[in-house]
Amino acid sequence: MKTLIRNCVVWDGGGAAPFAAEVLVEGERITRVAKGAAALPVEGAQVIDAQGMTLMPGLVEGHAHLSFCGAQRNTDLGDIPPEEHTIATLHNARTLLDAGFTSAYSAASAKLRLDVVVRNEVDSGRSPGPRIRAASPEITVTGGLGDENRLHMQRDSFGIVADGPEAIARAVRTCIREGVDNIKLNISGDDFVPAKGGMTVMREEEVRIACEVAHDFGRRVASHSRASNAVKRAVQCGVDVIYHCEMADSEALDLLEAARDRIFVGPAIGLIHNTLYEAEAFGITRAMAQDLGMERCLESSQRTYEQMRKRGIRVVIGGDYGFAWTPQGTNARDIEHFVKLFGYSPSEALQCATRIGGELMGLDTGLVQEGRLADLLLVDGDPLRDVRLLQDKQRLCLIMKNGALHKIAPALSR
């Protein structure tokens, strides 16, 4: 299968200025990027006239929760029966691909095998969805984020509770046995639960054994680390992907910078922003959000990620989408947040959503270059002038994953 995209303006994901080009896709890869007026041969190819639109890499969701289905409380996710939860997760995978996200790095599954089963279904070609790095549920400690149990009542949420190195190691091995690509650890708490975000609740020996076991099996580890000590613990124990980090002090930032060639970070700012400004319809008033510390968390994130940008630390988009007030499919809002809240240029923010996301996935995606996997978007307009274009699905006139067309606008398929 060959596809030739003519008359397009390529933004290649690497930070260079856009350029006019023709792009040839053969099989699952980009085989030619011909700049200027060079005409590539069309024999045997489906030819698409891009009409001057912007061709760019597919987006990468770096903090995906595909199995989060509009929850208002953590226990809502535990209450969904596994059969219905599987179907809802498959639906969310398609929703994400429809929004231009051709890859998703999962930051936790609500039940152990949900990500795994949906990843396998998508990989089989039977169901549409992004490339998925499947995650475990959030491994936590008693009283930590994800533990909704009480002495008189057992309640599931999105966590696996394990205390002490032996139990943590067993939980990690169990998740790996069941097929996950990523392990998730909740090293700190969160302001939505009694174990607050400033608390570091998972001990060093617990984090260290989780990383050692996961790495022994060739798996990566991600962590929920809001507190500065939780960030330091994550870096020092070998965590690969560190989420949130908004309370990182100068020592923690120094550690992150020293490890910047090894680690990735992600602010997951969407949930904080929307809790503060868009959750009133779900019973969280602005005053309640402020009482939860969301304003302080937002301000801390702005200070921290301004420093991350200056220090050259690799940052990915992804904002805890999947709660009631952060609906699946609105994930591209994170790119705008990076520009408006963190001071990234549009090009820098878009690179976080493409090139750096591809590095996180560990795949030859995220760039429009010869030899790369053909995960491509054709956008009606210039995202470098207005990143909000990527939030409008009508502007996504072509979505290609792995060289196959998932979507093509009728005006382009004549």
Side-chain angles (χ1 to χ4, degrees), residues 33 51 56 110 114 124 127 137 176 211 237 261 271 278 290 322 357 373 402:
V33 178
Q51 303 171 21
M56 62 175 285
L114 285 177
S124 76
S127 298
I176 292 170
C211 291
C237 292
D261 294 332
L271 182 61
E278 300 178 15
Q290 288 173 325
L373 290 167
N402 207 38

Side-chain angles (χ1 to χ4, degrees), residues 30 39 49 60-61 76 115 222 381 394 407:
I30 301 165
D49 182 352
V60 181
E61 164 59 75
D76 289 347
D115 273 6
Q394 298 304 312
K407 172 187 176 181

Side-chain angles (χ1 to χ4, degrees), residues 247-265:
M247 299 181 190
D249 59 18
S250 59
E251 181 184 0
L253 287 167
D254 288 344
L255 286 171
L256 290 168
E257 184 177 3
R260 66 185 181 183
D261 294 332
R262 180 182 68 79
I263 57 104
F264 297 85
V265 301

